[in-house]
Amino acid sequence: MINENKPVIGLSCGDINGIGLELIIKTVGDTRLLEMCTPVIFASNKVLNFYRKSLPDINFNFSTIKDSSRVNHKQVNLYNCWEEEVAVSPGLLNDTGGKYAVLSLVTAAQALKEGKLDGLVTAPIHKKNTHSEEFNFTGHTPYLKNLFEVPDVVMLMVAENMRVALVTEHVAVKDISSFITKENIISKLQILNNALKKDFGIDKPKIAVLGLNPHAGDEGLVGTEEEEIIKPAIKEAKHKDIFCFGPYSADAFFARGQYEKFDAVLAMYHDQGLIPFKSLATGEGINYTAGLTGIRTSPDHGVAFDIAGKNKADEASFREAIFKCIDIINARKEYANQHKNPLKKISAAFVANARDEKITEE
């Protein structure tokens, strides 16, 4: 029996010359996914069929729709974002790939904003061929922040054993320190704290904050940001009922496994957070944009032009991004229900406390 109350998940196709559509076909080709959600692919018939022919072992079917709010819950849906013929060149970085990646993303994201989708999973794009005067963004995250008109968002990497958030994202190393301000750190901590509660179901999140400089500045000997900016930000965040600690020296923090003691880690810049995440994360990592009213996830990798069109792409991270999108949709509903019914929240807290006391006694 088809459950029409399943979440509707939009899938943007990413660069049409990358691995995005291969990932999508391999993921939604498993019909068991239809028991969990209703997928809507934002691309075109012709481009989707191009990749379907290169994956003959996958039994993949779809239903074409003209309105993203009127979906077929019995099948995978395709919303045609364009009708014209497009030359697909797997593995090639060109303007065509960027143009249609942006068209797919913009169409899908607008559907998310309008409430026609319950969540959005984005396939990888390449910044080189998507950035333009019309699309003046360095990636998905700043674009979605602008579209949803929110003051700030957080790029949050999620795996089974760790969550790593970033203060700065795609910023040149020489410019990073200019973005490390008390206001920015507090803003990221507030968004992260709220997301951990609402989107991941953690009542009292515990957050670690990393330093910017080697050895977290060595008390001002190797940079002053820790003493002048990061510590005051942590102190103020605690006054806002955010359970955060630090700043920690990044190398020792990850090497000694201290991340296992926290619900999330706030890194100061991209590689400080992403290198240990991709090295130490267990299971399939995904990227989540915290702070939006809509829900967006993505795999934790890029377009992989080197294997595009060769049936070599591993869809595990993309599949996990869909699963996590569904989990967050359900977590938000549960959070909303608990706050509508305070007795339910009190009951859940009572059960949790009783469990903790039992464990302590044992």
Side-chain angles (χ1 to χ4, degrees):
M1 182 176 178
I2 296 298
N3 176 13
E4 296 193 0
N5 293 319
K6 297 177 297 182
V8 179
I9 309 295
L11 310 173
S12 65
C13 68
D15 193 305
I16 62 171
N17 296 327
I19 61 171
L21 283 164
E22 180 180 332
L23 297 175
I24 290 172
I25 293 170
K26 286 180 174 179
T27 302
V28 302
D30 186 339
T31 55
R32 291 174 297 181
L33 188 68
L34 286 172
E35 298 173 11
M36 303 173 64
C37 68
T38 300
V40 182
I41 304 169
F42 288 80
S44 80
N45 264 303
K46 294 169 185 176
V47 173
L48 191 57
N49 281 322
F50 175 92
Y51 282 99
R52 181 166 69 166
K53 290 175 184 176
S54 68
L55 301 167
D57 295 333
I58 298 177
N59 183 23
F60 171 65
N61 297 295
F62 60 88
S63 174
T64 302
I65 58 174
K66 295 182 179 180
D67 183 344
S68 56
S69 64
R70 299 173 66 87
V71 299
N72 180 350
H73 290 280
K74 298 180 181 180
Q75 276 191 298
V76 176
N77 295 261
L78 169 70
Y79 181 84
N80 268 311
C81 300
W82 65 88
E83 298 288 348
E84 64 268 23
E85 290 279 355
V86 176
V88 182
S89 307
L92 185 63
L93 174 64
N94 61 19
D95 291 343
T96 300
K99 174 183 176 181
Y100 291 99
V102 169
L103 182 54
S104 171
L105 171 61
V106 169
T107 308
Q110 187 61 40
L112 178 67
K113 184 179 180 181
E114 293 173 358
K116 296 177 180 178
L117 304 173
D118 296 300
L120 172 63
V121 179
T122 58
I125 62 176
H126 197 290
K127 296 168 187 61
K128 179 69 174 178
N129 65 358
T130 53
H131 188 269
S132 66
E133 290 184 6
E134 293 77 26
F135 190 82
N136 189 23
F137 305 98
T138 56
H140 289 101
T141 306
Y143 166 69
L144 292 167
K145 172 188 171 184
N146 179 76
L147 177 68
F148 280 86
E149 300 176 289
V150 292
D152 200 6
V153 293
V154 170
M155 181 176 174
L156 177 60
M157 307 303 295
V158 180
E160 288 178 4
N161 64 328
M162 63 196 307
R163 301 180 189 90
V164 178
L166 307 177
V167 175
T168 63
E169 298 153 17
H170 301 118
V171 174
V173 173
K174 66 182 178 62
D175 299 326
I176 289 171
S177 60
S178 65
F179 292 91
I180 305 302
T181 66
K182 188 173 79 168
E183 293 74 21
N184 281 347
I185 293 170
I186 292 172
S187 174
K188 301 296 183 183
L189 283 170
Q190 287 177 314
I191 293 170
L192 179 57
N193 189 59
N194 288 335
L196 292 170
K197 290 180 178 180
K198 296 179 181 179
D199 301 335
F200 295 91
I202 303 169
D203 285 336
K204 296 178 181 179
K206 187 178 179 183
I207 302 170
V209 181
L210 301 182
L212 172 66
N213 298 293
H215 309 295
D218 266 344
E219 297 185 5
L221 295 175
V222 191
T224 60
E225 285 85 358
E226 285 76 14
E227 300 298 322
E228 297 177 358
I229 298 171
I230 301 175
K231 286 183 179 179
I234 292 171
K235 183 177 180 180
E236 187 169 329
K238 286 181 177 178
H239 290 153
K240 297 178 183 291
D241 294 324
I242 298 173
F243 204 39
C244 56
F245 303 86
Y248 295 98
S249 177
D251 56 348
F253 180 84
F254 288 107
R256 296 171 184 169
Q258 287 178 280
Y259 62 89
E260 296 174 350
K261 301 175 183 178
F262 296 89
D263 296 301
V265 180
L266 181 64
M268 292 296 112
Y269 57 95
H270 187 279
D271 284 12
Q272 185 187 55
L274 270 290
I275 291 174
F277 179 84
K278 293 189 176 184
S279 301
L280 301 171
T282 58
E284 297 299 329
I286 65 104
N287 175 20
Y288 173 55
T289 306
L292 298 176
T293 50
I295 296 170
R296 175 260 174 169
T297 63
S298 73
D300 69 345
H301 56 71
V303 294
F305 284 134
D306 57 321
I307 59 171
K310 299 178 181 178
N311 193 10
K312 293 183 178 180
D314 183 351
E315 73 277 16
S317 181
F318 194 88
R319 183 190 302 115
E320 184 61 28
I322 293 179
F323 290 162
K324 188 56 66 179
C325 189
I326 296 169
D327 288 345
I328 294 171
I329 290 168
N330 292 333
R332 284 195 182 181
K333 288 179 180 177
E334 179 64 22
Y335 183 86
N337 287 337
Q338 285 183 352
H339 282 72
K340 286 179 183 176
N341 183 356
L343 290 177
K344 185 175 181 181
K345 185 177 181 182
I346 293 170
S347 175
F350 178 81
V351 170
N353 289 334
R355 182 193 63 227
D356 293 342
E357 288 176 5
K358 183 179 180 182
I359 290 172
T360 303
E361 290 172 1
E362 291 175 349

